[in-house]
Amino acid sequence: RKEVEQDPGPFNVPEGATVAFNCTYSNSASQSFFWYRQDCRKEPKLLMSVYSSGNEDGRFTAQLNRASQYISLLIRDSKLSDSATYLCVVANYGQNFVFGPGTRLSVLP
Amino acid sequence: ETGVTQSPTHLIKTRGQQVTLRCSSQSGHNTVSWYQQALGQGPQFIFQYYREEENGRGNFPPRFSGLQFPNYSSELNVNALELDDSALYLCASSLQQGVQETQYFGPGTRLLVL
């Protein structure tokens, strides 16, 4: 079993749709959680950190369920510019990041 | 932009050759991590350097080696290149403090091994 798994995708959604990505991790000692976004042929860029209480940044909402070892990302009112690959990342304090394989999103006009 | 730079941007080598990739970390960051990203996959951790010492290593053979310099810039060296080494190599800099340590990525070096 991979350490971090994500929805396989791709997700093709119309503009304005709400889309949810799921991620599970196997290491119960993991302490830090992130969502990164990666555009085609570019480097990953931090979208948001994920906190135990859940957090929201504009149209983006991240949730963490430590008991189920599950992380989610919700995007509301999708824009064309949201088209990218979304990477779930898990880490222990001071340790390396473990990336999921990514889920590709295409927002269609 | 993250302030993390990498060089070169692209590189073509042949099997058996050696390559050195370079990374300049964001000002004030003391940690550099290197990742390999094959096409269609998420980045895979190679190793991390903290204050010039290796601070963790992923499942990569010894022909992958690195250095971190006093200014916290870093090099990744790969010897005896193989075709499967063709990938995007990413470096990320961070400041180790507390639990929530965010890593900021450079633009990467695309390596093609023929």
Side-chain angles (χ1 to χ4, degrees):
Chain A
R1 183 187 169 191
K2 290 186 179 177
E3 198 166 342
V4 179
E5 299 194 65
Q6 295 186 239
D7 292 330
F11 283 41
N12 298 313
V13 303
E15 270 187 290
T18 296
V19 60
F21 300 131
N22 300 311
C23 170
T24 57
Y25 60 96
S26 61
N27 185 351
S28 59
S30 300
Q31 296 181 332
S32 302
F33 309 90
F34 308 88
W35 283 101
Y36 275 73
R37 168 200 170 121
Q38 187 172 27
D39 293 297
C40 188
R41 302 185 69 79
K42 298 285 189 181
E43 73 274 21
K45 292 187 178 177
L46 178 67
L47 180 65
M48 57 197 304
S49 301
V50 186
Y51 303 111
S52 295
S53 55
N55 46 302
E56 187 174 307
D57 182 3
R59 298 182 293 109
F60 300 85
T61 301
Q63 296 281 349
L64 168 64
N65 184 322
R66 286 185 184 269
S68 302
Q69 295 178 205
Y70 167 87
I71 307 161
S72 66
L73 176 68
L74 184 75
I75 305 176
R76 291 181 300 279
D77 189 23
S78 299
K79 311 291 186 192
L80 295 177
S81 57
D82 294 334
S83 297
T85 295
Y86 290 82
L87 297 160
C88 175
V89 183
V90 172
N92 291 333
Y93 169 59
Q95 299 296 314
N96 58 287
F97 275 15
V98 181
F99 282 81
T103 302
R104 188 156 57 90
L105 171 67
S106 293
V107 180
L108 308 172
Chain B
E1 298 303 326
T2 64
V4 181
T5 61
Q6 291 186 244
S7 63
T9 55
H10 296 80
L11 203 52
I12 300 175
K13 292 284 189 178
T14 56
R15 273 187 306 175
Q17 284 189 308
Q18 178 266 342
V19 68
T20 297
L21 310 182
R22 296 179 175 83
C23 172
S24 291
S25 58
Q26 187 179 118
S27 177
H29 283 183
N30 56 16
T31 303
V32 173
S33 304
W34 285 93
Y35 295 84
Q36 180 195 69
Q37 186 174 24
L39 200 60
Q41 298 181 23
Q44 299 294 310
F45 175 69
I46 303 174
F47 44 58
Q48 182 184 84
Y49 279 85
Y50 170 65
R51 294 185 173 180
E52 302 179 60
E53 298 286 332
E54 188 177 291
N55 184 43
R57 188 179 182 93
N59 189 25
F60 280 81
R63 60 189 184 84
F64 285 77
S65 63
L67 282 174
Q68 187 179 31
F69 301 100
N71 66 355
Y72 301 132
S73 66
S74 178
E75 284 183 356
L76 163 65
N77 299 291
V78 187
N79 294 321
L81 284 167
E82 300 177 359
L83 297 180
D84 284 349
D85 295 334
S86 295
L88 176 66
Y89 288 86
L90 295 159
C91 85
S93 81
S94 56
L95 178 63
Q96 286 208 12
Q97 58 177 14
V99 175
Q100 204 73 6
E101 172 203 322
T102 302
Q103 295 190 6
Y104 297 91
F105 285 82
T109 294
R110 290 197 179 278
L111 173 64
L112 177 61
V113 182
L114 301 175

